[in-house]
Amino acid sequence: MPGEPVLLVDDTAGVRTLTLNRPRRKNAIDHELWITLADALRDIATDRSVRAVVITGAGGAFCSGADISAPDNSHPVYRMRELTDVALLLHELPVPTVAKVRGVAVGAGWNLALGCDLVVASPQARFSQIFAHRGLSLDLGGSWLLPKLVGLQQAKRLALLAETIDAAHARELGLVTWLVPEDEIDTYVSDLAARLASGPPIALAQTKALLNAGAGQTLREALAGEAAAQGLNFATADAPEAFAAFAEKREAQFTGRWTVHRPAMRGRDDSENTRGADA
């Protein structure tokens, strides 16, 4: 409806849910929504209260792709920059992301879901790399995501034929992480996001970055990255907390708190020297 926000934002116990809100267009993304979504992702990247993200769509659809019907006289270079910003911001978020998919996820909409770390879909979901039917080639990272997820041959099949596949087939191909009944998907994703949000934030951020980078690295480079990441993890309160919780047979409470304190400097108040130590 006119005047309604194109993106709904909800925060619950460290989980931020972004809901594409153009249901009459099956949440097709126009210029306003591209910009709003990019701004929302930038906010998440710097908001330490956000520990997990869910992306979904309103009105029974996930996203029908970029809204090519919306009038836009800007140069294609500028329009593609909007997509590029969203794809990179989503990929580089330091928190786990979950796509909750009902209904259609096609074109850029499907690649938006694939850009999330995990995908939960209902059996009624439908997917298509529809670009060829529109006289276009892949965008929003599809040319990078698909071969990594399904291999080059299946990626070419999905892209060149622009077939529509059902959720069960997408699950078989590894493009859906979990297939959950329609009446259970909200609860399932809420529980999943809560589990992610309760995890060690620094360690999860390091793990996500390592996995994202690993496919394009040599073993030596990957091992060096792992060693550097573990150094950061051991400098937080989370690793000792995990060990203590295991010994005490309780659930660990992770905070991501930095535990390295600078030594006091002469002539300065000690409180100033430790300021930011828990940041």
Side-chain angles (χ1 to χ4, degrees):
M1 293 293 290
E4 289 189 355
V6 294
L7 185 71
L8 305 178
V9 180
D10 175 76
D11 287 301
T12 303
V15 177
R16 181 162 296 175
T17 299
L18 305 179
T19 302
L20 310 180
N21 190 37
R22 301 186 73 222
R24 292 190 174 187
R25 298 289 302 161
K26 294 186 178 179
N27 302 312
I29 308 179
D30 63 358
H31 170 74
E32 180 185 4
L33 185 47
W34 283 121
I35 297 301
T36 305
L37 184 55
D39 288 342
L41 295 173
R42 289 189 187 94
D43 288 343
I44 291 168
T46 58
D47 187 343
R48 285 182 293 173
S49 71
V50 179
R51 303 274 291 264
V53 173
V54 174
I55 298 179
T56 191
F62 182 76
C63 177
S64 58
D67 191 347
I68 59 176
S69 71
D72 189 345
N73 295 321
S74 60
H75 194 284
V77 168
Y78 300 128
R79 297 203 298 270
M80 290 306 302
R81 191 173 296 164
E82 295 174 358
L83 278 70
T84 298
D85 287 347
V86 168
L88 285 175
L89 286 163
L90 179 61
H91 181 71
E92 294 173 355
L93 279 185
V95 296
T97 55
V98 180
K100 180 170 65 175
V101 182
R102 287 186 170 95
V104 298
V106 301
W110 191 7
N111 292 335
L112 180 66
L114 294 178
C116 294
D117 302 314
L118 304 166
V119 179
V120 183
S122 73
Q124 292 76 27
R126 295 292 181 269
F127 303 89
S128 175
Q129 294 289 329
I130 201 169
F131 301 97
H133 289 329
R134 302 290 182 260
L136 300 169
S137 52
L138 304 179
D139 62 26
L140 207 72
S143 63
W144 187 86
L145 290 162
L146 280 173
K148 285 178 168 53
L149 292 168
V150 299
L152 183 58
Q153 190 176 72
Q154 288 294 339
K156 288 180 178 178
R157 166 214 160 184
L158 292 168
L160 298 178
L161 295 175
E163 298 173 325
T164 296
I165 64 173
D166 62 23
H169 189 34
R171 176 70 182 90
E172 291 172 2
L173 291 172
L175 297 168
V176 167
T177 320
W178 293 282
L179 198 57
V180 179
E182 177 72 26
D183 60 351
E184 299 176 16
I185 192 170
D186 288 335
T187 299
Y188 190 94
V189 170
S190 293
D191 291 345
L192 171 64
R195 287 165 54 199
L196 293 168
S198 68
I202 302 300
L204 293 187
Q206 298 300 310
T207 296
K208 176 174 175 175
L210 288 168
L211 291 171
N212 283 344
Q217 293 181 324
T218 64
L219 176 59
R220 183 177 298 275
E221 291 168 335
L223 290 169
E226 291 173 359
Q230 291 294 44
L232 289 176
N233 294 328
F234 281 117
T236 72
D238 288 344
E241 164 63 9
F243 299 149
F246 177 78
E248 297 165 12
K249 296 181 171 58
R250 60 174 175 81
E251 291 293 323
Q253 302 296 315
F254 295 119
T255 63
R257 186 168 59 86
W258 181 252
T259 58
V260 176
H261 294 264
R262 292 179 295 174
M265 298 174 61
R266 293 181 181 179
R268 301 284 299 276
D269 190 309
D270 285 347
S271 64
E272 293 184 3
N273 294 304
T274 57
R275 185 178 301 160
D278 291 342

